[in-house]
Amino acid sequence: MRNPIIVALDVESADEARNLVDRLGDSVSIYKVGMELYAAAGMAFVQELINRRLDVFLDLKFYDIGETVKRAVVQVARSGVRFLTVHGSGAVMKAAVEGRGSSNLQLLAVTVLTSYDEQDLADLGYKCSVADLVALRVRKAMEAGIDGIVCSPLEAATVRQLAGPRAVLITPGVRSAHAAKGDQKRVATPREALDAGANYIVVGRQITRSPDPRSEALRILDELA
Ligand code: C5P
């Protein structure tokens, strides 16, 4: 079985992140670098992970005018990052696909932030439901040539149907049955996420706040085996 765990390095310094990566050893080979760690340690730390032959999921959710997105994606593609998130709006996705060119970078669209509800969409002037907007954006993402979608495990089955078998589906919001949920309200277990069609699961605190991160990662792999 391919290891589907992506660990979210939601920590405040390169030192702390490095310590986690060291402790996890060969139990994990893909790491998500989000805004916090990126703001603290930047591409220098991303490059350090890549130099250690680890894969990086850069979760910066790009959203800007097309030219700016395209040029930024060119830089990310050159760095050797494996996955990059962009917002699922048409012009942004088109520009990102141009920037990726023929590189190995895989682009993931964020459809609708899971913190948004119908009222938030109404405030933005959208007159449709969250589910309708997710469906529209998944279709547009696939038409634009985006490689995959970041979604909740609870919507993974629907997204899989819309996106087709080749799309890469990555789901955060995953917790084993024994683990604390933290501030996540709508969670699924790793097994449920994969059964619903996810290719990879993003796990943060269940692993990173565990007294023994490596055992926790191995325990999840065991649950999945
Ligand atoms: O600690 P936990 O497993 O909840 O971490 C989840 C990670 O996934 C965090 O980096 C968070 O930003 C990200 N994420 C999420 N829910 C989403 C999208 C991303 O929790 N809908």
Side-chain angles (χ1 to χ4, degrees):
M1 185 188 76
R2 181 187 54 179
N3 185 339
I5 299 177
I6 300 176
V7 169
L9 290 173
D10 296 325
V11 294
E12 62 183 34
S13 69
D15 278 348
E16 217 178 310
R18 206 174 281 128
N19 181 261
L20 267 169
V21 172
D22 288 343
R23 293 182 71 187
L24 283 161
D26 62 2
S27 64
V28 170
S29 63
I30 315 179
Y31 288 94
K32 183 167 91 72
V33 175
M35 285 189 283
E36 182 190 11
L37 182 58
Y38 188 78
M43 283 310 280
F45 183 72
V46 167
Q47 209 60 62
E48 181 179 324
L49 292 174
I50 294 170
N51 292 344
R52 289 175 71 166
R53 296 176 177 274
L54 296 164
D55 284 332
V56 175
F57 171 0
L58 191 56
D59 188 16
L60 296 180
K61 302 186 179 69
F62 283 175
Y63 186 79
D64 208 317
I65 60 169
E67 180 67 9
T68 302
V69 169
K70 181 173 112 185
R71 297 175 68 92
V73 172
V74 167
Q75 294 303 323
V76 174
R78 273 186 198 152
S79 72
V81 160
R82 176 156 169 207
F83 299 112
L84 170 72
T85 46
V86 302
H87 275 274
S89 88
V92 170
M93 296 191 289
K94 182 170 171 282
V97 169
E98 282 171 23
R100 175 196 55 194
S102 58
S103 70
N104 289 328
L105 175 67
Q106 295 183 61
L107 296 167
L108 305 168
V110 176
T111 56
V112 179
L113 295 173
T114 47
S115 54
Y116 277 27
D117 62 15
E118 315 282 330
Q119 187 55 51
D120 293 308
L121 289 191
D123 288 348
L124 287 169
Y126 288 99
K127 294 191 175 67
C128 58
S129 68
V130 170
D132 287 346
L133 190 55
V134 169
L136 175 73
R137 290 190 160 175
V138 170
R139 279 204 307 275
K140 293 275 181 205
M142 294 303 112
E143 282 167 23
I146 292 286
D147 302 283
I149 305 286
V150 180
C151 63
S152 151
L154 305 179
E155 56 191 27
T158 310
V159 171
R160 171 61 69 203
Q161 268 192 334
L162 293 164
R166 300 231 309 270
V168 179
L169 260 54
I170 301 188
T171 60
V174 176
R175 290 285 181 288
S176 299
H178 69 270
K181 284 190 190 170
D183 58 359
Q184 297 276 18
K185 295 191 183 96
R186 305 194 314 140
V187 295
T189 65
R191 178 80 269 158
E192 286 165 347
L194 295 192
D195 286 348
N199 302 98
Y200 298 94
I201 51 173
V202 174
V203 186
R205 288 160 290 182
Q206 182 183 340
I207 289 177
T208 60
R209 305 257 176 107
S210 157
D212 186 351
R214 183 181 156 83
S215 301
E216 196 64 30
L218 295 176
R219 183 167 169 178
I220 294 174
L221 289 175
D222 236 28
E223 276 173 43
L224 292 172

